[in-house]
Amino acid sequence: MAAELVEAMNMVKSFRVSDLQTLLASMGRSKSGLKQDLVGRALRLVQTEYSPELLKNVRQLYESRFPRTSGWLAARRPEGVPVAYSSLSSSPTATSQGADYLNSISKQITTTPAAEVKLVPLPFYQTLETLLQPTELIAQNNEKLQDSQCIFELTPNQADQIRNATELRPGIRSIQVVLRICYTDSIGVQEDQYPPNIAVKVNQSYCHVPGYYPSNKPGVEPRRPCRPVNITPWLHLSSITNRVTVTWGNFGKRYSVAVYLVRVFTAADLFSQLKLCSVESAERCRERIQDKLRYDPESEIATTGLRVSLICPLVKMRLGVPSRVLTCAHLQCFDAVFFLQMNEKKPTWTCPVCDKPAPFELLTIDGLLAEILKETSEDIEEIEYLTDGSWLPISDEEKRDRERERSNTPDYPVVDICIPEANGHSPAHSSTSLTGKSGSGSVAGGSGGPGAPGGGAVVDLTLDSSSEEEGGGAGGDSEDTEDSADSPAPKRGRYNYDKDLVTAY
C-alpha cells in the first residue's frame, strides 16, 4: 500500500499541466491555477483520497505519456498530438481520445539499434543484464545541441537486487544501473566516450557526470575520464517507467548509448581475484630470468646480471605485492594494491614502468620477488638476478662502492690533443711525430724523454714498415730538419697542424 502510494505521487510529480488538469477534473476538483498549485492539489488528492480507481487514473495518464516501450523518443511533441482531454472515465469519447493520444505517441518511437556496437568490458563493472542495447543517438534537427530520450522499466527481481545490494560507501550500492556512451563503430570493441556538452537527466532530475581532471603539465588540456554514469539514485525501483534524457553536442560524430544492470567491484575485490587466479610461481619466474640472461653467441655484449629495484615506481615505497604485466619485457615490478587503487580513482591501465597498456586480465603477481621481499630486510632496496636464476642483495655500501668505482679517474694523465706541446713536440713538427719521427726529441719520450709526462708514443698505423725504415735513423732526422728549414714557415693560427695530418677514428 505504501509503495503504491509513493509510486502514484512520483508519477503525479512528472505530470504536465494538461495531465494535472485532467486528473483533477476526473476527480471533481478545480483545475484552475498555476502548475505548482495543481501539483500540490493533486498530491493532496492522492494522499487523502487514495483508491484503486484513483491509482488506475494516475497510471493511465502516466502510461499514456510514457508508453511502456523501450527506445529513444523524439524530444519534441508532434503537432498532431492532443495536449488535453476532458475525462478518464469509461465513456467512448474519453476512450477514443486516450487511444488517439497513445497512437500518436507510438508513431514517434525512433529506436535505432547501433549495428553490432560492442563496448569494452570494464574490470570494475560486471554486466548482469542489458536494459537497453547500444542505440544510436539521432539528431532531430540541424541544431548543435540535441536531446534524446529513452524509457525502460525494471522488473521486480531487478528492483529487489538494487534494494538489497550492499553499500560500497554511503549512497553508492554494489548493484547499479549505469549508462554507457561510446562511438558508433562496429569494428572492434569501443571504449566509453562522452559527446561534447553532455548532460544526463533521469526522471526530471539531472545526475552527476564525471568532470575533467586538471593537468599538471603546462600546455596540456584537462582530460575527462569517460566512465559509466551511475543513474541508480534517480530511478523508480518499481514497475514505473523510467525516462532518461541525454543532452549532447551534434558536431558530426556518431554516438551510441546503452543501459546496463551491473555489479560494481572495488580495488579490494579485484585484488582478491588477482591473488586467487593470477600468481606466477617462483619457478616460472626463475625460468623467465634465465631466458633473459641466456648467452647469445650472436650478441656482442654478454649480460651476466639484471638489477631490479624493490621500490615501487608509483609511490616510491617498498613493494608490498610485486606485480607486472605478462606482455611487458622488463622484470621490474610495481605494487598491485596501489596500482588497482589508482585505477579505481582514475582508470588509465598503463604500466608505470614502460607506459605500455596494462589491462587487468594480463596482470600477475611475481611469486619469486614476493619471496625475496620476505627474506630481505627493509634496508635492502635493490637486488641483482644472476644467470642461473639466483639473486644477490645489493646493500647501500655496495651501491656506494660501485658508484665510487665508476667515478674514479684513470691513473694515466689526460692529454689535451688540441695543445701540440702537451704531446712532446712543437707545432711545426706535428706531422713528423705522427709518422714515428721526432722533431726536437725522441718519439717515445718527446722532448722530455721516456719518463717525462705526456711522453706516450704516437704511431701512424696507416704507414707501412718500408716507409718507417726509409725515414728511420739519425739521417732521417737530419733530412727532416733540412726540409723543415728550407720550407716556408706555416702561418700562425689558433692551432697549427700540417696538411698531411690524418684524423684517426
Side-chain angles (χ1 to χ4, degrees):
M1 181 74 176
E4 293 180 350
L5 179 62
V6 173
E7 291 178 8
M9 294 180 66
N10 288 332
M11 286 188 284
V12 168
K13 292 178 183 179
S14 65
F15 283 174
R16 294 172 299 184
V17 172
S18 57
D19 302 328
L20 294 169
Q21 291 175 342
T22 302
L23 177 63
L24 292 172
S26 65
M27 300 301 294
R29 296 293 190 274
S30 173
K31 60 178 182 180
S32 61
L34 300 176
K35 181 179 180 179
Q36 57 185 6
D37 300 329
L38 299 177
V39 171
R41 198 176 303 157
L43 291 176
R44 287 193 296 272
L45 174 66
V46 172
Q47 290 176 346
T48 56
E49 300 184 16
Y50 180 79
S51 64
E53 181 183 359
L54 177 60
L55 178 61
K56 179 181 178 181
N57 291 343
V58 171
R59 283 186 173 174
Q60 185 177 355
L61 269 172
Y62 188 87
E63 292 174 2
S64 65
R65 185 165 181 233
F66 307 122
R68 295 190 176 187
T69 305
S70 180
W72 293 99
L73 304 179
R76 294 186 176 184
R77 174 190 297 275
E79 295 181 358
V81 177
V83 296
Y85 40 96
S86 59
S87 175
L88 288 177
S89 63
S90 58
S91 63
T93 304
T95 304
S96 62
Q97 287 180 351
D100 293 340
Y101 186 77
L102 286 172
N103 292 334
S104 60
I105 286 186
S106 62
K107 294 178 183 178
Q108 299 301 319
I109 297 177
T110 58
T111 305
T112 310
E116 298 297 330
V117 173
K118 296 181 180 179
L119 283 154
V120 62
L122 299 176
F124 289 101
Y125 297 87
Q126 177 189 4
T127 301
L128 302 178
E129 295 185 47
T130 300
L131 304 180
L132 180 68
Q133 292 286 350
T135 306
E136 185 173 359
L137 297 176
I138 303 297
Q140 304 297 325
N141 47 49
N142 295 328
E143 296 180 2
K144 295 300 181 183
L145 206 60
Q146 298 287 329
D147 284 342
S148 298
Q149 299 176 3
C150 81
I151 55 177
F152 64 91
E153 294 179 357
L154 295 174
T155 64
N157 183 32
Q158 294 168 350
D160 290 339
Q161 287 185 44
I162 298 174
R163 289 195 195 96
N164 300 329
T166 58
E167 283 194 349
L168 302 177
R169 51 184 180 272
I172 304 298
R173 298 180 181 272
S174 59
I175 304 295
Q176 299 178 1
V177 176
V178 297
L179 183 76
R180 298 186 66 181
I181 307 177
C182 67
Y183 288 130
T184 303
D185 192 349
S186 59
I187 301 176
V189 292
Q190 303 300 315
E191 296 183 352
D192 293 68
Q193 184 64 49
Y194 294 157
N197 308 113
I198 182 176
V200 179
K201 186 166 63 174
V202 181
N203 296 328
Q204 308 300 322
S205 299
Y206 283 98
C207 64
H208 173 71
V209 178
Y212 288 89
Y213 284 141
S215 176
N216 296 329
K217 299 179 181 179
V220 178
E221 296 183 358
R223 192 180 64 86
R224 189 172 200 170
C226 298
R227 58 173 62 184
V229 181
N230 180 21
I231 61 175
T232 312
W234 299 273
L235 294 178
H236 300 309
L237 300 182
S238 62
S239 59
I240 299 178
T241 303
N242 294 285
R243 181 179 61 163
V244 179
T245 303
V246 178
T247 303
W248 55 287
N250 180 25
F251 295 98
K253 293 185 178 180
R254 299 166 58 193
Y255 296 90
S256 294
V257 183
V259 180
Y260 299 99
L261 181 70
V262 300
R263 182 185 303 277
V264 181
F265 295 124
T266 62
D269 296 331
L270 292 189
F271 179 62
S272 300
Q273 296 180 26
L274 190 66
K275 289 193 301 182
L276 186 63
C277 306
S278 185
V279 178
E280 193 172 23
S281 64
E283 291 75 15
R284 179 67 187 94
C285 294
R286 288 191 183 92
E287 293 176 1
R288 187 186 297 271
I289 295 168
Q290 292 172 0
D291 290 342
K292 276 189 165 297
L293 297 178
R294 182 174 288 114
Y295 174 70
D296 186 3
E298 298 182 358
S299 177
E300 297 180 357
I301 301 175
T303 306
T304 58
L306 285 173
R307 300 175 69 177
V308 173
S309 175
L310 303 184
I311 302 300
C312 176
L314 284 172
V315 292
K316 308 304 178 185
M317 295 171 57
R318 185 179 172 87
L319 290 169
V321 183
S323 63
R324 49 184 169 76
V325 184
L326 292 174
T327 54
C328 291
H330 54 81
L331 297 176
Q332 179 62 51
C333 293
F334 49 86
D335 195 282
V337 176
F338 289 114
F339 181 75
L340 293 175
Q341 289 176 353
M342 293 178 69
N343 280 280
E344 184 180 19
K345 299 295 182 182
K346 183 180 177 181
T348 58
W349 298 106
T350 303
C351 176
V353 179
C354 61
D355 291 332
K356 291 183 178 180
F360 175 74
E361 55 269 17
L362 295 179
L363 200 63
T364 184
I365 296 176
D366 192 313
L368 177 59
L369 197 57
E371 294 180 358
I372 294 173
L373 287 167
K374 294 178 181 178
E375 296 177 9
T376 55
S377 58
E378 293 289 336
D379 59 336
I380 301 297
E381 297 183 353
E382 196 172 15
I383 63 167
E384 183 174 359
Y385 287 127
L386 304 180
T387 54
D388 58 351
S390 59
W391 59 276
L392 291 175
I394 300 177
S395 61
D396 293 339
E397 293 183 1
E398 292 178 353
K399 290 172 64 176
R400 285 194 295 267
D401 292 341
R402 293 192 179 190
E403 292 176 359
R404 193 180 300 113
E405 290 176 1
R406 294 175 184 174
S407 61
N408 282 342
T409 57
D411 295 336
Y412 53 85
V414 179
V415 179
D416 188 354
I417 63 172
C418 295
I419 304 177
E421 289 81 354
N423 290 321
H425 56 273
S426 62
H429 297 84
S430 57
S431 62
T432 59
S433 64
L434 284 175
T435 58
K437 306 170 186 179
S438 60
S440 58
S442 63
V443 175
S447 59
V458 182
V459 181
D460 189 350
L461 300 178
T462 60
L463 299 180
D464 54 11
S465 59
S466 60
S467 62
E468 293 181 358
E469 292 175 358
E470 293 175 359
D477 293 342
S478 61
E479 289 177 4
D480 287 340
T481 306
E482 293 175 2
D483 293 339
S484 61
D486 296 337
S487 60
K491 294 182 178 180
R492 302 293 292 179
R494 184 176 181 182
Y495 302 115
N496 295 317
Y497 298 108
D498 292 345
K499 294 181 179 179
D500 58 339
L501 273 178
V502 179
T503 304
Y505 293 94

